Amino acid sequence: MQRRVAIQISGIVQGVGFRPFVYRLARENHLAGYVTNTADGVTIEAEGDLAAVHAFLARLPVEIPSLARITRCTVRDIPCTNDTEFQIVASRPGGRMRVLISPDVATCPDCLREMFDPRDRRYRYPFINCTNCGPRFTIVRDIPYDRPRTSMGAFPMCPDCQAEYDDPADRRFHAQPNACWKCGPQVELWDREGRRMDVQDPIQEAAARLSAGEIVAIKGLGGFHLAADAASDQAVERLRARKRRWEKPFAVMAPDLETIAACCELDEPAREQLRSVTRPIVVLPKREAHRLAESVAPSNRSLGVFLPYTPVHHLLFAAAAFRALVMTSGNLSEEPIAIANDEAVDRLGSLADCLLVHNRDILLRCDDSVVRISDGKPRQLRRSRGFVPVPVFLKEPAPAILAVGGELKNTICITKGTEAYLSQHIGDLENLEAFRFFGEACAHLRRILEVDPQIVAHDLHPEYLSTRWALAQRSCRSIGVQHHHAHIASVMAENHVDSPVIGFALDGTGYGTDQTIWGGEVLIAGYAHFERAAHLACIPMPGGEAAVREPWRMAVAYLARHFGREFLERRLQLVEEIGRGRIETLLRMIERGANSPLTSSCGRLFDAVAAVIGIRSHVSYEAQAAIELEMAISDPDREVPPYPLRLLRDREPWIIDTRPLFELLLDDVDAGAAQSVLSQRFHNGLIEILVQVAVLLREKHRLDRVCLSGGTFQNVYLFERLIRRLRDRSFEVFTHAEVPAGDGGLSLGQALVAAHRAVPSP
Ligand code: ZN
Ligand code: ZN
Ligand code: FE
């Protein structure tokens, strides 16, 4: 009995080896027919024995290539034609192709096997790749995605490579970056002035220098890394000094999962992330006996680790027995990652001892992605290499909108139908280099998506460079979106929630509709509108931005608010450390209201508590005090009573008053309680008041869906326990997974809010 079926597949099915896969699968099942790319995906017709067609249909969705993603698949029976062969049919010319570019992909096991096989023609070739792996997004200049429009265009294929490229049965069929020793890119070792060093094997030599404690700039997929031996305190300290990055943890690349398991606690979801083709940095609990240099991640219970993802990485680890290598973005702190060889010599020459470069251009910067598992799910902390440009799939189609994100950890987002494309991590726009990168990213994303959005969504902060850029796009309609509304809309979007929710938006800074700085917000929010239902009490931020770098200022502001000058008489380490003189000056500043903008920021409350209990009075990177306050909790499963907070409901929005919290906190400090207990009581207090607010808002608004967003939710203790407590009270809780809870996810929310305002729903 013969059967013929027509199968329509859409999703990420082009440029990922989908047709060769279908071809092989059809041949294995002795089917006839064809597969071809179409405007919205792939069309297959398959004919053969009933059981064989059945087997084919069963295996197709489960065995798809690692990069493919099926969003829709329809199958219908059609009359048999009795053809005898299965073919890959060239894409029909004329029809507009929607070729979705794949992200960059870690070297696959097949390529690794070849690379370490002395008999293979690509033995030790540092740019080996195939249809299942290799560079993609970062080498594309324009679409459609084929070799001349990538930075591989400069390397004409040799006859052997061309034959593989042309053979439908070959695993390098239409692999655009296909290359070998004869025809492809090569590596070189350069000194810090950019002179080529005459060495036999540049990778071997780089590994030897790393072993000797040197710092090597290594050109990777989306930019340069600065590498150092992670087992050597001396090497890591040298890197810190040169990079002027004193305390912020470094991520380390380890050769294999066993090594990672020796340094970190590793569960199955984490293993899966580490091994996945996206190869993100995974933040894991660090083991006591981690056997790495202490300076890799000082004062931190976590460690960011990842596995090698390019042939060069694998060759480095094969060349020397590193326990792990620090692999940090090749930049001075907070500047964009360097990508061009001459740029690297300029910018990294003073940071590195030598540079391992190659002559395949990186056309688009793309940092490593960072993921953490919390509440059982991988969560994006920084969504970049390996994930971009895979879209976030939306529930409803949206008009074409360009959302320009916030200021820090900027990303942009373009919506196209039911897909929202977020850019890679662009960085902090206060930095001019980053702002240039922002412009490039906007232009590039528009080009590869072939959309020209007429609406641009932006933050309300008038001074953000992204806002100013948006308002300067005269031909576009601009729509301003409140920061915390965008946060909540972002969680709603990725979870396909479309009715109003109770939204907790907790973070460091966001411009409010009343010109104060918000950040401890409870909203009743839909996409088009929101209402500020409750917030942390407003406190002056003496010195403005200086208060962000110096948490002691927030401590003084909170203590003065609650106790007047009385707190100066308490035995506080803070008073001793900072000195009465400076505190008096600050108090006068607050009294006069000079340069002391008001804020309801949750991040600043964490800062204040961290400073009061003596964890940190100054920080050297964003959110450091809050992170170390969380890290102070040494026994998270111990039960400690929450500090009380008070909800004032005599006005709207409701105010969360912190006075009772600080009263008990000071008593505990006086009594000499451990930092761990103080921190945990504070966290528990915050959780309890948020649950209480949710319960009261449920009564008032008949809503039982809660959305959590904002950078504060990168705090795992707070995040996991708040979710648990809300679920205990029968709330349905929605959280971020695909996009960051921090400002990296803001652009998605901005786009969705703008979409609903641009096209009002009936
Ligand atoms: Zn491969
Ligand atoms: Zn070749
Ligand atoms: Fe934010």
Side-chain angles (χ1 to χ4, degrees), residues 356-435:
L356 183 61
V357 303
H358 59 71
N359 56 344
R360 183 182 71 204
D361 287 340
I362 299 172
L363 296 182
L364 222 57
R365 291 164 217 281
C366 205
D367 288 83
D368 294 315
S369 295
V370 186
V371 163
R372 181 163 49 204
I373 317 285
S374 52
D375 190 44
K377 252 200 233 176
R379 317 274 176 178
Q380 293 283 351
L381 301 182
R382 182 168 75 195
R383 184 179 185 271
S384 270
R385 176 191 50 78
F387 297 94
V388 175
V390 175
V392 173
F393 292 93
L394 304 173
K395 190 171 179 190
E396 306 284 345
I401 289 169
L402 166 64
V404 295
E407 175 91 336
L408 301 180
K409 302 190 164 55
N410 179 276
T411 65
I412 59 163
C413 173
I414 291 181
T415 48
K416 185 179 178 182
T418 52
E419 287 151 19
Y421 293 87
L422 280 92
S423 71
Q424 67 274 47
H425 166 79
I426 293 172
D428 297 352
L429 293 190
E430 50 199 10
N431 171 310
L432 208 65
E433 289 290 319
F435 187 56

Side-chain angles (χ1 to χ4, degrees), residues 288-301:
E288 207 68 60
H290 51 72
R291 304 197 308 149
L292 298 177
E294 203 46 55
S295 46
V296 168
S299 310
N300 207 305
R301 292 179 194 275

Side-chain angles (χ1 to χ4, degrees), residues 181-239:
W181 282 111
K182 249 185 275 170
C183 62
Q186 309 289 340
V187 291
E188 291 182 353
L189 195 65
W190 289 7
D191 69 13
R192 50 207 301 186
E193 270 85 44
R195 284 177 302 236
R196 179 173 181 272
M197 292 160 79
D198 190 19
V199 295
Q200 245 246 307
D201 182 336
I203 295 180
Q204 196 81 41
E205 177 66 20
R209 284 163 174 266
L210 284 166
S211 305
E214 287 193 12
I215 292 160
V216 183
I218 300 173
K219 189 174 183 178
L221 265 184
F224 275 81
H225 282 117
L226 287 167
D229 182 355
S232 158
D233 245 313
Q234 220 181 356
V236 179
E237 290 289 1
R238 188 177 308 137
L239 178 57

Side-chain angles (χ1 to χ4, degrees), residues 553-593:
R553 291 172 182 251
M554 286 316 298
V556 169
Y558 266 101
L559 295 172
R561 157 66 59 96
H562 294 319
F563 312 109
R565 311 175 74 83
E566 198 187 297
F567 79 89
L568 286 167
E569 311 312 320
R570 313 279 293 240
R571 273 183 298 125
L572 284 171
Q573 189 194 320
L574 177 82
V575 180
E576 260 165 62
E577 187 194 327
I578 303 299
R580 274 187 100 101
R582 285 173 78 194
I583 292 179
E584 293 284 359
T585 312
L586 201 76
L587 287 171
R588 277 195 298 278
M589 196 166 161
I590 295 169
E591 278 153 22
R592 283 184 288 121

Side-chain angles (χ1 to χ4, degrees), residues 121-122 156-162 178-184:
R121 70 185 188 92
R122 290 190 182 83
M157 275 183 275
C158 69
D160 287 344
C161 287
Q162 187 70 48
N178 190 24
C180 74
W181 282 111
K182 249 185 275 170
C183 62

Side-chain angles (χ1 to χ4, degrees), residues 48-60:
D49 178 69
L50 199 60
V53 171
H54 186 79
F56 176 77
L57 289 175
R59 286 175 62 187
L60 184 72

Side-chain angles (χ1 to χ4, degrees), residues 589-632:
M589 196 166 161
I590 295 169
E591 278 153 22
R592 283 184 288 121
N595 191 16
S596 297
L598 289 178
T599 187
S600 56
S601 162
C602 188
R604 299 294 82 77
L605 172 61
F606 272 81
D607 285 353
V609 173
V612 168
I613 71 181
I615 286 180
R616 205 147 258 290
S617 57
H618 295 72
V619 296
S620 66
Y621 63 91
E622 204 207 344
Q624 185 180 8
I627 290 167
E628 291 182 6
L629 184 59
E630 179 192 355
M631 294 303 150

Side-chain angles (χ1 to χ4, degrees), residues 115-181:
M115 187 173 72
F116 287 115
D117 177 359
R119 289 157 310 176
D120 194 273
R121 70 185 188 92
R122 290 190 182 83
Y123 178 53
R124 299 181 58 79
Y125 181 56
F127 300 91
I128 188 169
N129 68 82
C130 70
T131 38
N132 285 325
C133 76
R136 296 287 187 277
F137 178 65
T138 52
I139 60 164
V140 173
R141 185 172 293 119
D142 206 348
I143 56 159
Y145 170 61
D146 54 25
R147 190 157 174 125
R149 274 170 285 259
T150 70
S151 58
M152 285 302 291
F155 302 95
M157 275 183 275
C158 69
D160 287 344
C161 287
Q162 187 70 48
E164 296 165 338
Y165 182 92
D166 291 333
D167 176 5
D170 194 275
R171 64 185 200 86
R172 295 194 169 88
F173 177 62
H174 284 195
Q176 304 303 346
N178 190 24
C180 74
W181 282 111

